[in-house]
Amino acid sequence: MKITRIFAHRVLLPLKEGRYSWSGGKSVDVFDSTIVGVETNTGLIGYGEVCPLGPFYLPAYADGVRAGLREIGPHLIGWDPRELAKLNHRMDAALKGHAYVKSGIDIACWDILGQFTGLPVCTLLGGRFGDAVRLYRAISQEAPEVMAKKVVGYRAEGYTRFQLKVGGDPDLDIDRIRAVSAMLKPTDRLVADANTGWTQHDAVRVCRAVRDVDVYIEQPCLTYEECLAVRQKTDHPFVLDENVDGLDMLLRARADLAMDVVNLKISKLGGLTKTKQVRDLCVSMGIGMTLEDSWGGDVTTAAIAHLAHSTPEELRFTATDFNSYVTVSTAEGAPQRDNGFMKASTAPGLGIRLRKAAVGPLVVEVR
Ligand code: MG
């Protein structure tokens, strides 16, 4: 089997709630996503998706995905999409870094491997653990009372895991954590995700101020060293996200006992192949995981579902159903949230069929 064509559609994904806001005053109203297609000489086509959280979250931006595909695509024509290690080796030889550019191609090739073998990607990634995947709901940064009101609504929808967007004014963040926590049941889980937004001294102060609250602290500061310093001063369960962008950082953080949970985003790590490698190591080392991506629609949500459903339940802290946040559906067969959970499809590959009318014209085509 050979890759004969790599192409992409640009899809705009407006938010049902109108806007998503997080640390440092950053916000997005309409997400700019790229759906990547890989076509083969057998007629099989696989799909992936890459959707940065705006251009100011990770070192990734939407037009960069498209430019990167034009750069890397010609190096992959004629290669076998089923040979995922070789394909990733080839991508890394052709383009240094830019993990997020490679992610969509890698996901699409897993989709092809699944269709070819007749197996869901979940099975190929290791097997299906449990009946369904428990989801978290991200709570966009707003006034404490607004966030508290929203969490009540999300609970009513079935969510039991919540990620509170903090990383703003530390005094307001203390109020946010307290206001939302007051609305939760003891069996719920609350994560205060600062998305690198606090200085080290503010982060230490916030952790002290909410010492009596059952809350996880996620990525308080910009650098790994600042996060580690905060971690060593608090007894809250601790999550690292933005700093862990590959195996090197995972192993370093593990050696320092710098986290209890790590947030694995497929495009941050460069695709399902590399995320599986990190995920499997986390399983071996007993590190909990949030399994997700930076953002996306139906295709990203399908990829997350297969990754998360193939992760042992005791270490599968949470996952994300981004397709329920946005107004546009780009694929049939994508997972649908049911009372706070989702399931990976049992159909071959990702189990999705692209809605051609929803994705618009081609913006990249390499033959
Ligand atoms: Mg995070």
Side-chain angles (χ1 to χ4, degrees), residues 12 23 80 250 280 314:
L12 297 179
S23 74
D80 190 332
L250 178 79
D280 290 345
E314 64 274 21

Side-chain angles (χ1 to χ4, degrees), residues 331-353:
E332 293 169 44
Q336 300 300 316
R337 170 165 47 89
D338 180 14
N339 202 28
F341 288 82
M342 70 175 174
K343 297 178 179 185
S345 170
T346 54
L350 291 177
I352 53 159
R353 291 166 306 284

Side-chain angles (χ1 to χ4, degrees), residues 212-278:
D212 59 316
V213 179
D214 180 6
V215 60
Y216 290 62
I217 302 294
E218 179 161 340
Q219 189 76 38
C221 306
L222 184 62
T223 68
Y224 173 72
E225 288 76 12
E226 290 166 299
C227 289
L228 182 59
V230 177
R231 153 76 163 177
Q232 289 167 343
K233 288 175 165 54
T234 178
D235 60 1
H236 288 290
F238 208 83
V239 187
L240 282 179
D241 180 351
E242 285 86 341
N243 289 145
V244 181
D245 57 1
L247 267 183
D248 284 358
M249 277 309 301
L250 178 79
L251 293 173
R252 184 177 166 201
R254 165 63 177 180
D256 293 337
L257 303 179
M259 78 232 148
D260 305 293
V261 175
V262 64
N263 185 312
L264 302 183
K265 293 183 164 71
I266 299 170
S267 62
K268 178 179 69 174
L269 297 164
L272 283 172
T273 302
K274 288 180 177 170
T275 307
K276 178 184 187 301
Q277 190 181 23
V278 172

Side-chain angles (χ1 to χ4, degrees), residues 85-96:
K86 273 182 76 175
L87 193 91
N88 274 275
H89 193 259
R90 175 72 172 166
M91 289 199 284
D92 289 340
L95 178 67
K96 184 111 178 145

Side-chain angles (χ1 to χ4, degrees), residues 25-317:
K26 294 187 278 289
S27 71
V28 171
D29 298 342
V30 178
F31 281 95
D32 185 346
S33 190
T34 304
I35 293 182
V36 183
V38 174
E39 187 171 338
T40 67
N41 62 337
T42 64
L44 284 181
I45 300 177
Y47 289 102
E49 181 175 7
V50 184
C51 185
L53 191 65
F56 33 50
Y57 172 60
L58 292 170
Y61 69 106
D63 266 335
V65 181
R66 273 92 70 169
L69 290 171
R70 290 183 199 104
E71 178 69 34
I72 204 170
H75 298 275
L76 306 175
I77 301 299
W79 286 61
D80 190 332
R82 301 166 301 179
E83 298 186 336
L84 281 147
K86 273 182 76 175
L87 193 91
N88 274 275
H89 193 259
R90 175 72 172 166
M91 289 199 284
D92 289 340
L95 178 67
K96 184 111 178 145
H98 299 274
Y100 72 110
V101 167
K102 301 162 186 174
S103 184
I105 295 172
D106 179 76
I107 295 167
C109 291
W110 278 93
D111 189 21
I112 291 170
L113 180 63
Q115 294 176 55
F116 175 75
T117 56
L119 295 170
V121 169
C122 176
T123 302
L124 297 171
L125 288 174
R128 191 177 300 261
F129 285 90
D131 191 44
V133 173
R134 191 190 294 268
L135 298 162
Y136 82 81
R137 178 73 200 200
I139 306 167
S140 179
Q141 191 175 108
E142 294 184 65
E145 57 276 14
V146 176
M147 296 172 91
K149 197 175 164 196
K150 281 197 169 168
V151 82
V152 173
Y154 298 143
R155 278 200 98 262
E157 291 175 31
Y159 287 108
T160 54
R161 304 287 182 263
F162 305 95
Q163 193 196 71
L164 193 60
K165 289 297 164 189
V166 289
D169 174 73
D171 292 305
L172 209 49
D173 284 337
I174 292 165
D175 291 345
R176 288 181 174 114
I177 293 167
R178 289 202 172 277
V180 169
S181 167
M183 301 297 168
L184 300 182
K185 294 230 157 74
T187 51
D188 294 336
R189 300 281 185 281
L190 178 63
V191 179
D193 187 356
N195 288 110
T196 75
W198 291 326
T199 59
Q200 186 179 315
H201 63 90
D202 278 334
V204 171
R205 186 171 158 269
V206 173
C207 289
R208 282 206 183 138
V210 298
R211 199 166 196 172
D212 59 316
V213 179
D214 180 6
V215 60
Y216 290 62
I217 302 294
E218 179 161 340
Q219 189 76 38
C221 306
L222 184 62
T223 68
Y224 173 72
E225 288 76 12
E226 290 166 299
C227 289
L228 182 59
V230 177
R231 153 76 163 177
Q232 289 167 343
K233 288 175 165 54
T234 178
D235 60 1
H236 288 290
F238 208 83
V239 187
L240 282 179
D241 180 351
E242 285 86 341
N243 289 145
V244 181
D245 57 1
L247 267 183
D248 284 358
M249 277 309 301
L250 178 79
L251 293 173
R252 184 177 166 201
R254 165 63 177 180
D256 293 337
L257 303 179
M259 78 232 148
D260 305 293
V261 175
V262 64
N263 185 312
L264 302 183
K265 293 183 164 71
I266 299 170
S267 62
K268 178 179 69 174
L269 297 164
L272 283 172
T273 302
K274 288 180 177 170
T275 307
K276 178 184 187 301
Q277 190 181 23
V278 172
R279 186 274 309 269
D280 290 345
L281 259 178
C282 285
V283 171
S284 299
M285 299 189 299
I287 298 170
M289 286 163 275
T290 289
L291 300 143
E292 61 166 356
D293 210 322
S294 43
W295 203 271
D298 280 328
V299 183
T300 289
T301 303
I304 292 169
H306 287 284
L307 173 69
H309 219 148
S310 61
T311 301
E313 288 175 279
E314 64 274 21
L315 293 172
R316 187 171 69 207
F317 182 55

Side-chain angles (χ1 to χ4, degrees), residues 6-21:
I6 292 173
F7 58 94
H9 302 272
R10 180 186 184 212
V11 185
L12 297 179
L13 302 172
L15 286 156
K16 285 179 185 166
E17 293 190 359
R19 173 169 289 189
Y20 182 73
S21 305

